[in-house]
Amino acid sequence: MSKLLVVVLTTVIGRPLLYQLSQSRGIKYSLGVIHMPSTNFSAELQHTLQSERNFASIEKHSNLVKQHSKWHWHHDQSKRLFFNYLLLDPRITNGLKNRAKSMHQLDVWLTFLRAIFYVGKGKSTRPYVHLRQAHKVLRSANPLVLAKDPKLALIVHLWKHQRGVLLLRAFKGISSNDAHTREAAMIDALGLNHLTNRRVGVYFGVARSKFTTEQRRLLGVVLLYRLLLIYLKYDERELQPANISDNLTT
């Protein structure tokens, strides 16, 4: 269905009838293609939301990931015990894996990106440290801590409303510097104004010495796209206070 036809149908018969028509004919459409959403994403990430062609071109920049990985494989001999992870808001994803089949690919992409509220790196049980900290705040109800750390504030807010936190771990078995660089690239792609991260990341290797600012953000875009593909393979599991153990260590 062309953008013009969607616009005409939306204007003439309204969205409800258009939705019924699209469902009966198995058509997937995106209102985001017509009315571009306002986001705090980087220009490079926003570009992928502007058209199907732009979205399909993401993997054209996969060579940046190859250059980055190759450099760390040959020059970084530190232990490969680290990974990257995302914290997501389940109110936004709302069972995205099951809904994705009837959604336009741009809407799936936008939903996934909007749901991400924290990008991190670590090893072992590192992601659960945030949840343990939030659990302590939940019990103490310390408003000063919540005011200083928007990440903890959001986690506590979700728990108070009987929702949980979604955790996605990926890129396992990489070095600390590799994980730092991937974290930095994804933060730069999404933008600090979108995230609860309080500082930008640190780059190492070829991404630091040779990549331009645009290439670093494009590296982040490709990594986020690959995380989307991983995310859509699994059912959502919300982490609640009951899942948090006080004996977790970093």
Side-chain angles (χ1 to χ4, degrees):
M1 180 180 290
S2 68
K3 296 180 184 178
L4 178 59
L5 179 57
V6 173
V7 172
V8 172
L9 287 172
T10 303
T11 304
V12 176
I13 63 180
R15 182 178 178 181
L17 186 54
L18 172 60
Y19 178 79
Q20 295 174 17
L21 176 63
S22 68
Q23 292 299 299
S24 65
R25 297 189 178 183
I27 300 172
K28 299 178 183 179
Y29 69 96
S30 171
L31 291 181
V33 175
I34 306 169
H35 305 291
M36 277 302 301
S38 176
T39 73
N40 290 314
F41 302 150
S42 66
E44 291 77 12
L45 185 55
Q46 183 70 26
H47 179 74
T48 66
L49 292 163
Q50 292 176 350
S51 70
E52 295 175 0
R53 176 179 294 181
N54 292 354
F55 176 73
S57 70
I58 292 177
E59 277 294 346
K60 290 182 179 180
H61 303 291
S62 61
N63 187 53
L64 295 172
V65 180
K66 293 179 181 178
Q67 291 181 54
H68 161 78
S69 299
K70 183 178 180 180
W71 189 96
H72 282 278
W73 181 259
H74 290 289
H75 298 89
D76 187 352
Q77 302 304 317
S78 58
K79 293 183 179 180
R80 294 180 169 84
L81 304 174
F82 293 81
F83 55 83
N84 290 105
Y85 61 92
L86 304 177
L87 299 182
L88 302 96
D89 188 335
R91 299 171 301 177
I92 298 176
T93 56
N94 193 26
L96 184 59
K97 173 190 173 184
N98 297 325
R99 296 193 299 121
K101 298 177 182 178
S102 60
M103 295 170 63
H104 190 281
Q105 58 184 356
L106 292 182
D107 290 326
V108 175
W109 179 225
L110 176 60
T111 299
F112 174 72
L113 296 174
R114 287 181 57 238
I116 301 169
F117 66 86
Y118 187 81
V119 179
K121 57 83 64 173
K123 62 180 180 179
S124 186
T125 58
R126 171 58 184 169
Y128 290 91
V129 172
H130 306 303
L131 304 182
R132 186 182 63 182
Q133 293 171 340
H135 194 202
K136 291 181 179 179
V137 175
L138 179 66
R139 290 181 294 183
S140 65
N142 189 332
L144 293 178
V145 175
L146 296 180
K148 293 180 179 180
D149 194 329
K151 173 183 76 269
L152 297 184
L154 180 52
I155 295 173
V156 170
H157 176 79
L158 288 170
W159 285 346
K160 285 185 175 180
H161 289 80
Q162 286 71 55
R163 298 305 302 266
V165 179
L166 300 176
L167 168 63
L168 175 62
R169 281 184 282 197
F171 312 136
K172 300 177 182 179
I174 58 179
S175 69
S176 178
N177 288 349
D178 187 345
H180 266 302
T181 300
R182 292 171 188 253
E183 175 191 54
M186 289 188 284
I187 290 175
D188 283 347
L190 288 164
L192 277 181
N193 288 333
H194 171 75
L195 299 166
T196 58
N197 292 72
R198 291 183 288 179
R199 60 179 64 89
V200 296
V202 180
Y203 289 91
F204 294 90
V206 67
R208 178 176 181 175
S209 62
K210 294 186 177 181
F211 284 8
T212 64
T213 299
E214 179 183 4
Q215 288 176 320
R216 291 172 180 172
R217 291 173 178 168
L218 287 172
L219 171 64
V221 171
V222 177
L223 294 174
L224 288 167
Y225 172 70
R226 294 184 179 182
L227 287 176
L228 168 66
L229 300 182
I230 295 173
Y231 187 82
L232 293 176
K233 293 180 180 179
Y234 303 98
D235 293 326
E236 294 180 356
R237 175 174 174 261
E238 297 184 24
L239 297 175
Q240 302 278 358
N243 303 120
I244 311 306
S245 173
D246 286 334
N247 61 5
L248 287 176
T249 61
T250 56

